[in-house]
Amino acid sequence: MMTKALIIVLNAQAGQLNYVAGSLVWVEDPELAWIDGEIQDSKKDEVTIIFKSGTRVVSKSANMYPKDPKFPPNGVEDMTRLAYLHEPGVLQNLKIRYSGNKIYTYTGNILIAVNPFQRLPHLTETSTMIKYKGAAFGEQSPHPFAIASSAYRYLVAALSFLCLGLWL
């Protein structure tokens, strides 16, 4: 199976990006936010894109972002691992994870939570809390317990350092 690659050429004189035919992109849409498509043709600032529905549009290159052709099917736990950390990539990752009831995602050491609009009791059980207690940050899947455990360890370390400093 052949995957599409994103090819972007920087026009050094004009200081602009030129998208090459066959590249996968996200195009801004007023109703759906972002739609993914494939570039058919590119001339200066106007790019012709075809969507999965078969619809062809001509858009300005400023209204699009590159799409990662190898986006993981289950998304990623830490969005800093995405090839492109931009709005459509982040939204795609959150949508994929949300559809699997994985409502927590990291961006580095920042926890992103999406409201599940339902009860997910397994996320607040005591056994879940124990799993995160003392675990290194990022060792377990994203969760507020991981943030709390990490913050607690840093607080204890800081207090220990301060106490040692006062005794010296």
Side-chain angles (χ1 to χ4, degrees):
M1 186 170 130
M2 193 169 154
T3 59
K4 300 281 183 183
L6 173 68
I7 302 170
I8 302 175
V9 178
L10 178 62
N11 183 338
Q13 290 179 335
Q16 66 186 33
L17 295 176
N18 295 322
Y19 291 91
V20 175
S23 298
L24 300 176
V25 292
W26 289 103
V27 181
E28 194 170 10
D29 181 76
E31 292 178 25
L32 301 173
W34 299 97
I35 303 176
D36 59 327
E38 182 179 328
I39 292 178
Q40 296 296 300
D41 189 31
S42 177
K43 293 178 183 170
K44 290 195 179 186
D45 192 33
E46 292 194 350
V47 181
T48 305
I49 302 126
I50 188 165
F51 300 119
K52 289 178 185 174
S53 64
T55 306
R56 286 179 187 263
V57 297
V58 176
S59 179
K60 298 208 177 288
S61 60
N63 297 342
M64 64 183 65
Y65 287 99
K67 181 181 179 192
D68 183 3
K70 296 180 183 178
F71 198 92
N74 296 325
V76 294
E77 289 187 347
D78 186 344
M79 291 192 286
T80 60
R81 294 183 185 150
L82 293 174
Y84 304 105
L85 188 59
H86 48 50
E87 182 180 345
V90 167
L91 291 175
Q92 179 189 26
N93 189 60
L94 292 176
K95 180 180 178 182
I96 289 170
R97 290 184 55 77
Y98 177 83
S99 69
N101 282 333
K102 296 175 183 172
I103 63 168
Y104 301 122
T105 307
Y106 290 129
T107 301
N109 61 357
I110 300 168
L111 181 72
I112 310 293
V114 179
N115 189 340
F117 298 102
Q118 63 180 317
R119 294 197 183 278
L120 299 174
H122 69 281
L123 294 176
T124 56
E125 293 174 345
T126 303
S127 60
T128 303
M129 188 182 339
I130 292 168
K131 183 171 86 169
Y132 287 89
K133 185 177 180 182
F137 186 81
E139 189 175 290
Q140 300 289 336
S141 59
H143 198 284
F145 293 157
I147 301 291
S149 180
S150 178
Y152 179 75
R153 282 194 311 280
Y154 279 115
L155 179 64
V156 168
L159 288 174
S160 298
F161 180 76
L162 286 172
C163 288
L164 285 175
L166 294 174
W167 292 108
L168 292 177

